[in-house]
């Protein structure tokens, strides 16, 4: 009996058939990459010490989303912090906290929205982010992708 997974065989079959017609017509170029990692305890301390901390770093829609997850609100706040830091690193310039908004799409994928001056710093392309966390850490990676 063949133990090769069906998905692998299907991928190999497509690769050998040279399905070039399904490739995108434009080439995507990664213009910037950023990554950030933070201990959840640091965010929890900042929230406890500075009552307006969350208001300063998150938009009203982000606050509503993060605080709706009461059991894991700190993880969600820390994830947004990391994502915004990673985006600034990918762009290569500081951005205003309130002008960068990261909200989930209907499937839970984080989507970046830029407003104001921050939007003018990224005149083309798309910002992609991935956010993850454990019991003690949150991490995010951001890519600035443009079509060429």
């Amino acid at each position: 009996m063949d133990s090769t997974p069906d998905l692998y065989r299907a991928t190999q079959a497509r690769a050998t058939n040279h399905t070039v017609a399904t490739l995108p017509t434009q080439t995507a170029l990664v213009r910037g990459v950023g990554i950030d990692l933070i201990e959840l305890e640091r965010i929890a301390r900042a929230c406890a010490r500075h009552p307006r901390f969350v208001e300063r770093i998150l938009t009203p829609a982000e606050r509503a989303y993060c605080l709706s997850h009461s059991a894991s609100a700190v993880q969600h706040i820390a994830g947004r912090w990391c994502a915004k830091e990673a985006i600034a690193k990918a762009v290569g310039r500081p951005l205003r906290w309130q002008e960068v908004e990261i909200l989930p799409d209907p499937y839970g994928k984080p989507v970046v929205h830029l407003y104001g001056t921050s939007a003018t710093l990224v005149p083309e392309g798309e910002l992609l982010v991935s956010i993850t966390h454990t019991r003690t850490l949150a991490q995010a990676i951001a890519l600035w992708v443009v079509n060429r």
Side-chain angles (χ1 to χ4, degrees):
M1 177 173 206
D2 185 7
S3 64
T4 306
D6 290 337
L7 180 60
Y8 176 78
R9 277 198 301 272
T11 303
Q12 292 301 357
R14 281 195 305 272
T16 57
N17 288 338
H18 303 288
T19 54
V20 176
T22 62
L23 296 176
T25 56
Q26 292 184 334
T27 304
L29 171 72
V30 175
R31 189 155 175 197
V33 178
I35 190 167
D36 198 63
L37 174 76
I38 194 163
E39 295 171 339
L40 297 181
E41 182 58 34
R42 286 185 62 197
I43 295 297
R45 281 195 314 263
C47 290
R49 283 189 205 151
H50 308 286
R52 293 182 40 99
F53 174 74
V54 174
E55 290 177 21
R56 187 174 62 85
I57 67 164
L58 299 179
T59 66
E62 289 173 317
R63 283 195 305 273
Y65 172 74
C66 292
L67 298 177
S68 73
H69 295 85
S70 58
S72 58
V74 170
Q75 290 175 325
H76 284 81
I77 294 166
R80 295 303 177 278
W81 169 279
C82 285
K84 291 182 181 195
E85 287 285 318
I87 290 166
K89 292 173 185 176
V91 173
R93 307 214 26 207
L95 303 174
R96 295 179 178 159
W97 292 104
Q98 292 291 318
E99 293 181 349
V100 180
E101 185 173 68
I102 303 153
L103 295 171
D105 73 4
Y107 302 102
K109 173 187 158 194
V111 178
V112 179
H113 304 277
L114 297 179
Y115 304 101
T117 305
S118 296
T120 64
L121 297 175
V122 184
E124 63 177 341
E126 184 179 11
L127 289 165
L128 305 173
V129 296
S130 181
I131 304 169
T132 190
H133 46 72
T134 66
R135 289 182 298 111
T136 59
L137 299 170
Q139 183 176 25
I141 185 166
L143 296 176
W144 180 11
V145 180
V146 295
N147 287 323
R148 292 284 179 213

